Amino acid sequence: MNTIKQALLFVCCMVSLVSSAQNTTSDYLSIEGATEMTINGTGVRFYVKLNGSINYSGYNMDIYLPDGLEFDLSGGNPRVFPLKTLWPYTEQETGDEDDNGDPIMEKSYTHSLTTEYKAPKHIKVICYSSKNESLTGVSGRLFYVYVKATSPYV
């Protein structure tokens, strides 16, 4: 497991952050929290985190993995999941109630996350707002990715 975490240190992210203001910053993305998955012990989940200083309305990045890791394609697509903690949303009642009789609320997010599989070690990740709204914070975890270990880690 430690060797897989070490390999994640070499994950290369080519990033474009989209801001409504055209400012130059020292903002960056980082890989965080590599944790072991339960699929035969051969994979990990890692988080991509924004370390920012201004508001962004979206981002676009290419993620390249080093030898020994490849994206988990179970289900046919790279397993990339947005955390939505920084995504603005509106809430509306669904018309249903929970066990306590309180209305069940449904969130409607203004951002979308898409991925494009390029190669076993390369994906493109794009987050955008159809309303050009800014994320609700300048720093925080954006999404997580599942990767599988290959030789020499298995």
Side-chain angles (χ1 to χ4, degrees):
M1 182 63 189
N2 284 337
T3 54
I4 295 172
K5 285 183 181 179
Q6 290 169 348
L8 282 174
L9 293 176
F10 297 103
V11 172
C12 176
C13 292
M14 313 250 328
V15 180
S16 172
L17 296 168
V18 181
S19 170
S20 56
Q22 298 299 318
N23 298 335
T24 302
T25 71
S26 59
D27 296 354
Y28 64 95
L29 294 174
S30 61
I31 302 297
E32 177 181 276
T35 56
E36 189 170 358
M37 293 183 343
T38 57
I39 302 174
N40 300 327
T42 61
V44 296
R45 172 180 69 194
F46 67 87
Y47 296 91
V48 175
K49 180 181 178 185
L50 171 63
N51 302 283
S53 63
I54 62 173
N55 289 321
Y56 292 99
S57 59
Y59 51 88
N60 169 7
M61 70 185 71
D62 288 277
I63 300 176
Y64 297 89
L65 297 176
D67 289 340
L69 295 176
E70 59 185 44
F71 293 99
D72 183 346
L73 299 177
S74 54
N77 294 309
R79 296 184 64 209
V80 178
F81 299 96
L83 293 170
K84 300 182 181 179
T85 53
L86 299 179
W87 289 13
Y89 63 88
T90 57
E91 282 187 320
Q92 61 186 20
E93 292 185 22
T94 64
D96 296 323
E97 295 180 347
D98 64 15
D99 293 339
N100 296 326
D102 296 324
I104 295 177
M105 304 299 285
E106 180 177 80
K107 292 181 181 180
S108 178
Y109 293 96
T110 61
H111 283 72
S112 296
L113 184 89
T114 62
T115 59
E116 181 181 357
Y117 177 74
K118 299 286 197 174
K121 299 178 182 304
H122 176 201
I123 63 171
K124 178 176 280 297
V125 178
I126 300 169
C127 177
Y128 63 94
S129 168
S130 60
K131 297 180 178 183
N132 200 31
E133 290 191 29
S134 294
L135 297 172
T136 58
V138 297
S139 294
R141 289 178 172 178
L142 300 173
F143 60 90
Y144 59 96
V145 179
Y146 286 106
V147 296
K148 295 188 309 185
T150 61
S151 180
Y153 300 116
V154 291

